Amino acid sequence: MAAAGKRSGSKKRKSESAGEKGGTKPRFSKQTKPKGAKHFKKTAKGRPSKAKTAKTNQSEKPASVHGAITAPARNSSGSTKRKWELAGTKSATVPKKEPKTPREHRLAAKEIVEARKRKRRPNYNLEKELVSLWEKMRCHNIEKEERLKLVSEALWMMSEKFLEVASSHVTARVLQTCVKYGSQEERNVVYEELQPHFLTLSQKKYAVHLVKKLLDTASKKQLEGFFSSLHGHVSSLVRHTVGSAVVEHAYHLANGSQRQRLLMEMYSSELQLFKDLTLTNTGSLEDIICKLKLQKSLVVQHMTSIILPLLEKGIVDYSIVHATLVEYLTIADKFYAAEVIQQLIPLLSQQSVTDESLHASSKQKNKRRKKQIPLVSMMHTRDGLKLGILCIKHGTAKDRKKIVKGIKDHVRKLALDQYGSLLLSCILSVIDDTKLVSKIIIRQLQTMLSELVFDKNGRRPLLQLLHPQCHRYFTPDDLACLNASVPSLCTQEKEKVVSEDSPGKPLEGVAEDGPGKLLEGILEAVPEELLETDTDAIMNHNSEHDDSTKTIQSAVCGKKEAIVRRNELLVDNGLAETLIGTCIDTAGELLRSNLGKEVIFEVTVGGADGILNPLEDRLSDLHKAIASLAALPKTDESGGDHVLENFHSSRTIRKLVLDSPAFAETLWKTALEGKSEIWAQGHSCKVVSAFLESPEARVKSLAERELRPLVDSGVLKLSGKKELSLGKKEEVCDT
């Protein structure tokens, strides 16, 4: 049965094939029969040739540019397949396989992208070769000689195309790496090729890093040429979001005279036109105005046209902008100084740069940017510190509250910074809202006292509370910053800052209509592409300025008395008790430390004005802790490490004996009574002799009976003045 089935099946297939070759039933009817079908059945000449088939496939499925991978077809059952069925042939050539697997699809798509890049970028092949070299030369484990060869090869490939390479976001980093690791001769070649285009490259997003790297490796002569090329373009580059970084970098690399030249272009348009005027070596802006006989009103007008766009764009992070703003506030009228401060305070106190309506992904991208505020980034320069202090002193209570809340997450960073610690000192001595300051600042300082007392900058806020603005702990420059103020806003108490009827005296040469006319003149004189400000917004802000300037305070300090503010911040909040406990636990380390000795000295004497006197019990515990260290035998420790023999601790204890009678009594009874002769030599003799030099009679009476024989025998030596005074007293006693 199976064999019969097979035979029947084969007969059936033969009959079907015979019918296709010309059997009784034709495949097409008379109505649908195509032309030439009759000849196609009878003769073999109608069979399509291989060349014609290949041409048909090429027209239907175009290959890629290089012909390596064909593009995927839209429909596998196309007209070509039907033609082959009509032809009934089996010997025709099959077209190339279409990508079926995911890997083949990826390769095909990659080939299409590569072809498009070659059409769009004329230097695409060069970029690929440079990137391959860059991946090798930037490795850390590569040898120096091999890296130099790769750098030379890359620079040879980039020859006569440096400008195109520097402008590309792909190859700009390659050229930057070549400048970093190349020889000085190769750097000079790149510098000379790109020097005429520095101003253009400084305004490009990726080329700006290459320009800064070239400035870092440039010689003094090349730097001088760069500063000469910047003349007349400083103010426009500072207002550019990318070019401002180049001006700031050049400002840090410049010497004093070169910095002055950059700043003077921000002062007046005349200084932009005439280069010789910028060569004068004068300090402040007032001196420049007097020496060059410039009109003060025109200088203020020009600086206002530059400062307003900077404030609107939020460009307040750069040193050159800080210096310009500080000089502007020294010469500006009361009205314009208040205007700038009112625009600057929101920038310093802003906490968020993202809108609440943004998508979640956008918020995630701006998360890092959202955590930083301009006030913290401004603390890297002394001029930035001055601006922060001026805003705190001349701001309203609401402005101060915003500023304090803005630095909530940056208290530690500010406390350990050179200028940030001075800003915290200003906040502690100016702001009257002690509850807010205690909640945000004091609590964080309280948790890091063990670190602050040993830090050069971290101890400053503590010393400001213990002994405000002491010249022993703050340098003259630091005290000048803490006492800085705007001259036009610091008026007498009887004078009102701004009244509703008289909005302020206008500047010389300015119309009586006030700053509205002045800003209109600025906007007319300066081109729109340079000013880049919204005129309507400025005018609306000026119309509302009358109300805002009423709250500008003429007094640079708060209304609360300083002793009351210090007591609330230091004693009432428990900071003083925690500080005394820290001093007791680390008394030996603080006394021997060059920085910590000043903190423990102020705490031990009770602070200025006896601020710590309410904590007498804790202070007596601190006195006993220091005295117990001094009572240790000299043989238990090495001679130089004992608190009475150490250089720093011996002098600190001597000052404590002179300034704190309570501590002197405790030290004498605990450590020195009956042992004065042992400590009468070396550094410890300064501590022993301090009892006779003390201005307190009760301290002298404690040690005079035991120390006078040592002085008479020459074992204990006093200073010349003290010996003379003691000699006179002895003569009086003899008479």
Side-chain angles (χ1 to χ4, degrees), residues 400-418:
R400 294 173 177 178
K401 186 176 181 180
K402 291 179 181 179
I403 291 175
V404 173
K405 287 185 176 180
I407 64 174
K408 180 179 180 180
D409 299 331
H410 308 278
V411 174
R412 176 185 176 83
K413 181 179 179 180
L414 290 174
L416 301 177
D417 185 69
Q418 178 183 1

Side-chain angles (χ1 to χ4, degrees), residues 599-663:
V599 178
I600 196 172
F601 170 78
E602 289 294 341
V603 175
T604 306
V605 299
D609 304 323
I611 191 69
L612 300 181
N613 287 342
L615 303 173
E616 292 182 358
D617 296 338
R618 297 293 292 166
L619 289 178
S620 62
D621 295 340
L622 178 58
H623 296 169
K624 293 177 183 178
I626 298 175
S628 63
L629 292 175
L632 294 174
K634 197 173 184 179
T635 56
D636 288 355
E637 299 179 0
S638 59
D641 196 36
H642 196 279
V643 291
L644 296 179
E645 289 292 331
N646 184 268
F647 179 84
H648 298 295
S649 59
S650 61
R651 282 152 179 79
T652 303
I653 295 175
R654 178 182 179 275
K655 289 196 304 180
L656 289 173
V657 172
L658 295 175
D659 295 344
S660 177
F663 171 78

Side-chain angles (χ1 to χ4, degrees), residues 286-447:
E286 294 181 350
D287 297 337
I288 295 174
I289 293 174
C290 295
K291 186 173 182 179
L292 300 179
K293 298 180 180 180
L294 301 174
Q295 292 186 10
K296 187 176 180 181
S297 60
L298 295 179
V299 173
V300 174
Q301 180 178 352
H302 177 76
M303 294 184 70
T304 306
S305 66
I306 295 175
I307 290 174
L308 286 180
L310 293 176
L311 296 180
E312 290 188 354
K313 291 183 177 182
I315 304 177
V316 292
D317 297 339
Y318 298 133
S319 306
I320 188 171
V321 179
H322 301 165
T324 304
L325 286 171
V326 170
E327 293 293 342
Y328 176 80
L329 292 175
T330 58
I331 66 167
D333 185 75
K334 182 187 304 182
F335 184 88
Y336 300 102
E339 175 74 17
V340 170
I341 288 178
Q342 285 296 317
Q343 292 190 18
L344 187 60
I345 287 176
L347 295 176
L348 302 184
S349 59
Q350 64 182 359
Q351 298 180 357
S352 175
V353 296
T354 59
D355 189 7
E356 296 297 333
S357 61
L358 290 179
H359 192 264
S361 60
S362 301
K363 292 183 180 181
Q364 187 68 22
K365 291 179 181 179
N366 294 329
K367 186 176 181 181
R368 182 179 300 177
R369 186 183 171 193
K370 186 176 181 179
K371 291 183 179 180
Q372 296 183 355
I373 61 173
L375 181 61
V376 178
S377 59
M378 284 174 59
M379 290 301 108
H380 65 277
T381 63
R382 189 172 292 275
D383 291 327
L385 169 64
K386 289 181 181 179
L387 287 177
I389 291 176
L390 292 177
C391 292
I392 292 173
K393 287 185 175 182
H394 297 287
T396 62
K398 292 183 179 180
D399 296 335
R400 294 173 177 178
K401 186 176 181 180
K402 291 179 181 179
I403 291 175
V404 173
K405 287 185 176 180
I407 64 174
K408 180 179 180 180
D409 299 331
H410 308 278
V411 174
R412 176 185 176 83
K413 181 179 179 180
L414 290 174
L416 301 177
D417 185 69
Q418 178 183 1
Y419 302 119
S421 58
L422 294 176
L423 181 71
L424 293 180
S425 302
C426 176
I427 291 175
L428 296 176
S429 56
V430 170
I431 297 180
D432 292 333
D433 192 355
T434 54
K435 291 185 178 180
L436 179 66
V437 175
S438 301
K439 181 180 179 181
I440 294 179
I441 297 178
I442 298 297
R443 287 184 183 178
Q444 296 192 43
L445 296 180
Q446 197 169 356
T447 58

Side-chain angles (χ1 to χ4, degrees), residues 425 429 460-469 474 482 566:
S425 302
S429 56
R460 287 177 174 176
L462 303 176
L463 293 173
Q464 178 68 10
L465 290 174
L466 294 169
H467 197 154
Q469 297 189 6
F474 296 95
L482 291 175
R566 289 172 57 204

